[in-house]
């Protein structure tokens, strides 16, 4: 039975499913506890389902329900952090970091998974990832959890080198797929890719391997 307490911190409903659900499933199979701290409800997203079933006013309610369905598929806990979508970059980082530090310590996290700031292709991803680093840096060094960072941009390996942690998540593919499908308003494009059997696209293969960089604190 694993003694790890894993805390996943991303800004949007569906980030957990696309970016880390294979790794989350691995941890759950090993007996680790996993909690997803979701920054926003993704209410400013442009995808409204296909065919369209949501609008700007109702999207947040749909995405909240989709997130609940996804975490049920992954058998993990979820807490909403309450920030507004597409505004995280404008939040005072020290305040967000203080909020996250409180959550991370309360959950007794041993591993925190987040985005790699500067290599996460979305301002919310970069901003929340940077706040996570600051939050953990403010924890006493002997009590800090490890920080695993998910880089998305095409230049990440050129700049950062090979990731420190690489998991083949094909054994967990069915659960990952179920979690992605739970995000019905957002998953249409990816599901088309997955269901098009003529495509052995690198994008699809990339989903079956999850990669993380370990953050090294200097203080």
């Amino acid at each position: 039975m694993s003694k790890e307490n894993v805390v996943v911190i991303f800004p949007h409903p569906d980030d957990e499913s696309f970016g880390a659900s294979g790794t989350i499933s691995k941890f759950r199979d090993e007996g680790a506890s996993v909690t997803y701290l979701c920054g926003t409800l993704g209410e400013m997203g442009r995808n409204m389902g296909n065919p369209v079933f949501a609008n700007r006013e109702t999207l947040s309610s749909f995405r909240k329900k989709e997130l609940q369905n996804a975490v049920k598929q992954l058998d993990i806990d979820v807490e909403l952090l309450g920030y507004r979508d597409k505004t995280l970059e404008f939040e005072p980082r020290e305040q967000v970091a203080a909020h996250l530090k409180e959550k991370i310590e309360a959950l007794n996290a041993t591993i925190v998974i987040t985005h790699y700031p500067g290599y996460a292709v979305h301002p919310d991803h970069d901003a929340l990832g940077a706040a996570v680093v600051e939050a953990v840096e403010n924890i006493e060094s002997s009590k800090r959890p490890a920080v695993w960072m998910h880089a998305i941009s095409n230049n990440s390996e050129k700049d950062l080198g090979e990731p420190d942690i690489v998991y083949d998540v094909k054994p967990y593919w069915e659960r990952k797929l179920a979690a992605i499908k739970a995000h019905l308003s957002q998953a249409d494009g990816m599901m088309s890719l997955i269901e098009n059997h003529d495509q052995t696209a690198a994008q699809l293969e990339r989903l079956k391997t999850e990669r993380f960089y370990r953050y090294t604190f200097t203080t």
Side-chain angles (χ1 to χ4, degrees):
M1 180 71 72
S2 171
K3 295 181 180 178
E4 301 288 6
N5 293 320
V6 182
V7 177
V8 180
I9 307 175
F10 291 137
H12 307 117
D14 78 8
D15 288 334
E16 82 297 336
S17 294
F18 284 107
S21 55
T23 302
I24 289 170
S25 298
K26 178 179 182 296
F27 275 122
R28 289 297 295 132
D29 278 4
E30 293 169 353
S33 69
V34 180
T35 301
Y36 181 33
L37 302 182
C38 184
T40 80
L41 285 175
E43 65 271 19
M44 295 303 290
R46 293 185 58 81
N47 293 328
M48 300 288 173
N50 185 17
V52 171
F53 58 81
N55 58 45
R56 182 59 62 213
E57 284 69 38
T58 63
L59 184 61
S60 61
S61 296
F62 280 109
R63 296 200 70 178
K64 185 176 183 179
K65 187 174 182 181
E66 290 167 357
L67 176 61
Q68 291 166 344
N69 290 337
V71 299
K72 185 176 180 181
Q73 294 293 335
L74 297 172
D75 187 30
I76 64 174
D77 296 322
V78 62
E79 294 183 26
L80 302 175
L81 294 176
Y83 296 102
R84 288 187 60 82
D85 192 21
K86 294 191 176 178
T87 67
L88 273 164
E89 64 183 304
F90 305 112
E91 296 281 350
R93 184 183 299 172
E94 66 275 14
Q95 290 183 18
V96 178
H99 184 196
L100 294 174
K101 176 176 180 284
E102 181 180 329
K103 293 284 187 182
I104 291 166
E105 290 181 321
L107 291 164
N108 195 26
T110 57
I111 297 173
V112 174
I113 297 176
T114 192
H115 285 121
Y116 201 127
Y119 296 92
V121 305
H122 187 298
D124 279 351
H125 296 179
D126 289 332
L128 195 58
V132 169
V133 170
E134 185 166 322
V136 176
E137 196 162 31
N138 289 336
I139 295 173
E140 182 183 322
S141 59
S142 64
K143 297 179 179 178
R144 282 177 190 153
V147 176
W148 294 10
M149 314 186 83
H150 177 46
I152 304 172
S153 64
N154 291 333
N155 64 332
S156 58
E157 290 197 16
K158 179 182 176 183
D159 289 359
L160 303 171
E162 293 290 323
D164 301 302
I165 301 155
V166 180
Y167 286 141
D168 176 355
V169 299
K170 292 187 186 73
Y172 312 100
W173 179 244
E174 292 303 319
R175 266 179 279 176
K176 178 162 186 164
L177 195 55
I180 290 172
K181 284 182 175 178
H183 294 285
L184 190 60
S185 67
Q186 308 298 305
D188 180 65
M190 186 56 67
M191 292 313 301
S192 297
L193 174 67
I194 291 170
E195 290 167 358
N196 183 351
H197 298 296
D198 292 332
Q199 295 193 46
T200 54
Q203 187 180 4
L204 180 55
E205 285 304 305
R206 191 172 176 83
L207 273 178
K208 297 179 180 178
T209 305
E210 295 178 1
R211 305 164 177 82
F212 304 96
Y213 293 88
R214 285 191 181 91
Y215 189 83
T216 301
F217 292 94
T218 57
T219 58

